Each structure stands twice: as C-alpha cells, then as structure tokens.
Amino acid sequence: MNAITPKPKLPVLDLRGVNMVSRQSPATMVAEKVNWTVQVGEFWVVGAPQHSGKTDLLMTLGGLSSPSGGEYYFLGEAMPIFEESRLPHRLRLGFVFDGGQSLGQLTVAENIALPLRYHRGWSADEIESRVQELLEMTELMPWANSSPANVGRSWQQRAGLARALALQPEVLLLDSPLTGLDARHTTWWLAFLAQLSRGDRSVGGKPVTLVVTADDLRPWRNDAGRVACLANRRLLVLGDWHAVDDSKEKVVQELVAG
Amino acid sequence: MQQAGATAIPAPPPRARDRWWLPRCYSDLIGRRVFAFLLALHGVGAFALITVGVLLRNLRVAQPVMRPLIAREIHRAGVQLLPMFFFAAAALGFLVIGQTVAWLSRVEAANNLLGNIMVIVVVRELGPLLTALLVLARVGTANVVELGTARALGEVEALEALGIDPVHYLVVPRVVGMAVGVFALTVYLILGTLVSGYLWVFLQDVPLLPGDYFRELAGALSYLDFALLALKTCAFGFIIAIVTCFHGLGQPLQLNEISRATVRAVGQSTVACILLDALFISLYLTVT
C-alpha cells in the first residue's frame, strides 16, 4: 500500500547564496553569500552590532532592496516583487521600521487606515472598525487623532506596528523594535510579539512568522526561539540558544553579554 | 611671528591667489556644466515618463485615497493662491494695460493695434509665464521641501513596504493638481488683468468705451489662442510638478541637502518654462 506522504511546507524565507547591499549606497556590501531558511511560525532574532547593516538586511528580506547576487524566495516566489500582478503575494509580508516611519501628513489613525483604504475595497465603517481594533490592541487610542510628530518615539513605533498588522500579514519583519524603549514598553513589546507568534485574533488567529533585529540579544532569550548574528558581512545562522551559548564567535558572545 | 613647532603653510603663488575664484580651465567648466545639464535632463525626462506611465496605468487604482489627495493639491496649487493672483492681476493691469492704453490713445492710428498688443502681451505671454513662476515660488518650492523631508525620514520606504507606489501616492496628485491649478489661475489672472486694466484706463480719463475696449480684445483673439493657452498652462504645471518632485523624491537626500535641491529645482523649472514658452512661440508663428 502506498503511503500518502504529506506535501512539505514551503519555507517562508529561503535565501541561497544571497549578497546584500546597502540601500543608501549600493556599492557597500552588507552580507555575502547568505544561506538561510525561515520556516512557518518561527520566531527569529538577528543580533548585530550597531551600524552593521541590520536595516539593509531586513530591507532585502522585505523586498525593498534587490540582492546583488544569489536567489531569494518568499513563500516560494522569487523576490523582490515589483509587478502589480504579484502585489497580493508581497502583502503577505509586513514591515515595522525602526521609529515607525509614519507619514507626517496623516494622523496616527489615518496612517493605520492607509493600507486598508489603498488595497482593500472595504466600506468606511469596516475600515474604522479595524482601525479601532488595532488602536486598542496597541494602546494608541489617546493619540489616534494626533500627528505622528506630536507622539513620542515609543508610541510612533507602536503606530508602525499597528499599520503593518492592518493587512493581517503572515510574516512580520521588525527593525530593532526595542531600541530606545523604557522597561514598560520593552515588556509590552516582548509580550505582544510572543502573542503574535502563538497566533492572535488581530491577525486571524494564525501564528505569525517573526524576524526581528536587535543589538542586544538578552531580552529575547525567553521569546525568540531561533537566533542569527550579522557581523563582518557574514550572517551566522546559529539556530537555538544552546548554539548561541556554545558559540566561540566573539561578536556572538558580545551580543549575548550585552 | 610664527610660533616654534608650527608647520608653515606655503603661500600660493600670487597669480593663482589673485584669481582663486576663476576655474582652472574654461573648457573644463563648460564641459562639466554641459554634462550636468544632460544628466539633469536625462533624470527629469525619465522621471516624467515614469510618472505618466504610473498615472495612466493606475487611473482606477485606490480612488478613495487618490481623489481627496488630488482635490487637496488642486486646492493648494489653485484656490489657496487666488488672493495673491487677484493682487497680481490688479498690478499687472496697471503696469501693462493702464499705461499702454493711455499711451496708445494719444496716437490715432495706433488704436487699431490695441487688441493685438493686449492679446500678445497678456494672453499669450505674460499671463501664463507669470502664473507659472508664481506657482513655482509658492507651491513648487514646498513640493521639494515636503518630498525631500519625506525621503530623508524614510517615509518613501514606508510606502513601498505597504505596497503603495510612492510615485502614485506622492507625485501623481501633485502633477494633476499643479496642471489644473496653473491653467485655472492663468485664466483668472488674464481676466483680472483685462478688467483691472480698463479700470486704470477709466481712472486716467482716457476716452475709451468698455464696448470698444473688449471688442478690440475679442477681435484679436482666435481659437488657436484658447487651445494654445490651455496646452501651454497645463504643460507649465506638469513641468514644474515633475522637476520639483524629481528633486525632492527622485534621488536619495539627507535633510541638510534639501535647501540645495530646492534651489536647483527652482532654477531648472524656470529655465524649462522659458524654453517651453519659446517653443510655443515658434509653434504659434509656424501655424499662423
């Protein structure tokens, strides 16, 4: 009797010999020959010293920069995606910038509503209801009608998170979400991301695959299950925390020591 | 007196020191300027083609977002500037028409030229060009600063991450708004100038009846004037929007580079508008 073998799941991110360059100055190499696979539901933290190219790494993963070499697939589709026809596939990936990067001309609530108004043919009531839900979830209600410039950086970061979650992405890339936060905000972010990783109603109940960058790995030890480190134009894909503790690489030891 | 241990800086030779502000070689300078001009032309031309492509391809995309943005830009590049244009029309009417009519009325045979002079000076030349330059000063410069700041602060990347084409969201409304705005303001400026011109004439006790004045003007106008006026003003608005958006958005900028980008955009927009005006003059002379 022929046993029916289950179809293997596509990796979420699949990088094969990818070379990454800086978006600001394309002549600067950020990481060379990166081989890395991220599976569905995994929670990765990529540690790297400051100014080592964390943002450029995420920009490449998010399809905002083209790799200068190698092959990169997102859920089986070659990246980056520029064609209109493949845009729905591209929107399965969300991006949270360091600092939120809200549009200065819009209020916090309008920023969160923007992707819904642009991509979804929803009615105004449906959009308002979804925005209210995201504002409550990220505790941004008091700043809903404020300009991003009048909101603290910690809250702008949350506005960026709420905006990225509006379209219910399956994968979320977060650029240094804990940088510059106080203990209260740090605790909130860690708890919220852990909840997203397990599956939250705000994203349809499915576990969200997470990739975050950090210049200090210590806060992530209890929540992120997988670790990689970027230094000297190399991405060290370490795996679990045992591999991190056993690593003899100086940069890894520094990132764990804080 | 020089201190012990300090390194003496050799003084430049007298001839070079006296002419430090001159280029080393004029052919180098001219060559650099020509290449800079060609590169700017290439960049602006490519940006214009991309914008037109995005405008045509995305006509029906995200209309609930785009319609208010276009309305806001028309308001900014048109309605908001109306008070300034009424003032400019009053001033232009006095400067050009008030004086010209008063002077022509003293010469018997020259009265027949009144309509033609008014149409050439106000309708074909001064109206559209002055409008374009005023809109450039008031709205074009703001475009460069707004878009340059958005670019420097990473808002463009944020739009891309949300799957929103920055050219569609940021440039297309400005292009449409400015083309409509320059056209509408030119019409208001011309009408205001002609009316205020007659007011100045009346105040100077020149023996010219309103019927004669407007009959002269109407007689000098042809359908071609209306068509070229619409075409020219929309083209001015398009060019100003494209050049200013290109300098704000089309290249990576740091915050401290925005002021220089604004100056470059104003210079290039002015030159482009004057060249386009010259092209329209030759076109008109060829057709007629």
Side-chain angles (χ1 to χ4, degrees), chain B residues 48-276:
Chain B
L49 288 177
I50 290 169
T51 305
V52 172
V54 170
L55 172 66
L56 296 176
R57 200 176 62 234
N58 295 338
L59 271 179
R60 295 184 184 281
V61 172
Q63 286 183 345
V65 177
M66 298 307 292
R67 277 185 191 150
L69 283 177
I70 290 172
R72 194 189 72 180
E73 289 303 325
I74 291 174
H75 183 259
R76 200 169 72 133
V79 181
Q80 268 188 346
L81 302 186
L82 271 177
M84 188 178 77
F85 271 78
F86 286 137
F87 173 75
L92 203 62
F94 171 62
L95 290 173
V96 179
I97 299 183
Q99 292 188 55
T100 311
V101 172
W103 184 77
L104 284 177
S105 64
R106 292 175 202 159
V107 187
E108 188 66 30
N111 270 343
N112 298 333
L113 300 173
L114 179 69
N116 284 323
I117 291 173
M118 291 306 105
V119 168
I120 290 170
V121 173
V122 178
V123 179
R124 281 189 213 145
E125 295 308 321
L126 221 46
L129 201 59
L130 184 67
T131 306
L133 296 180
L134 287 174
V135 171
L136 169 66
R138 282 289 295 265
V139 187
T141 49
N143 269 352
V144 188
V145 174
E146 280 176 14
L147 296 179
T149 309
R151 176 93 204 216
L153 296 180
E155 290 180 17
V156 174
E157 282 85 356
L159 285 172
E160 287 176 9
L162 293 170
I164 297 172
D165 186 343
V167 173
H168 187 223
Y169 185 80
L170 297 172
V171 180
V172 166
R174 285 176 165 83
V175 169
V176 175
M178 211 173 266
V180 174
V182 172
F183 170 70
L185 287 174
T186 305
V187 172
Y188 284 120
L189 183 74
I190 290 170
L191 292 176
T193 303
L194 296 177
V195 171
S196 78
Y198 184 78
L199 189 68
W200 292 115
V201 167
F202 177 74
L203 292 176
Q204 290 176 70
D205 288 332
V206 175
L208 181 66
L209 293 169
D212 295 337
Y213 174 72
F214 286 106
R215 204 172 299 117
E216 282 282 336
L217 293 174
L221 283 168
S222 67
Y223 287 111
L224 196 61
D225 285 313
F226 292 104
L228 284 182
L229 181 73
L231 205 61
K232 188 198 266 191
T233 50
C234 289
F236 279 163
F238 177 81
I239 281 183
I240 294 169
I242 288 292
V243 173
T244 52
C245 289
F246 170 73
H247 282 283
L249 198 69
Q251 50 206 336
L253 276 182
Q254 304 288 331
L255 279 174
N256 59 347
E257 294 168 331
I258 293 173
S259 56
R260 264 183 296 167
T262 310
V263 172
R264 268 200 307 272
V266 169
Q268 289 179 10
S269 299
T270 308
V271 171
C273 285
I274 291 170
L275 289 178
L276 187 73

Side-chain angles (χ1 to χ4, degrees), chain A residues 99-104 106-112 135 138-162 181 185:
Chain A
Q101 245 81 322
S102 297
L103 304 187
L106 307 178
T107 65
V108 169
E110 286 169 344
N111 263 284
I112 297 169
L135 286 168
T138 48
E139 301 171 4
L140 281 167
M141 281 303 276
W143 292 275
N145 296 318
S146 304
S147 161
N150 298 328
V151 174
R153 190 182 177 282
S154 312
W155 298 104
Q156 284 188 35
Q157 187 97 338
R158 288 200 198 188
L161 172 68
L181 299 185
H185 282 283

Side-chain angles (χ1 to χ4, degrees), chain A residues 8 20 47 52 60 68 91 113 131 133-134 161-162 169 188 198 203 249:
Chain A
M20 301 177 183
S52 55
T60 310
S68 64
L91 293 177
V131 171
E133 183 189 7
L134 289 162
L161 172 68
W188 183 89
R198 287 192 298 270
V203 283
E249 292 279 348

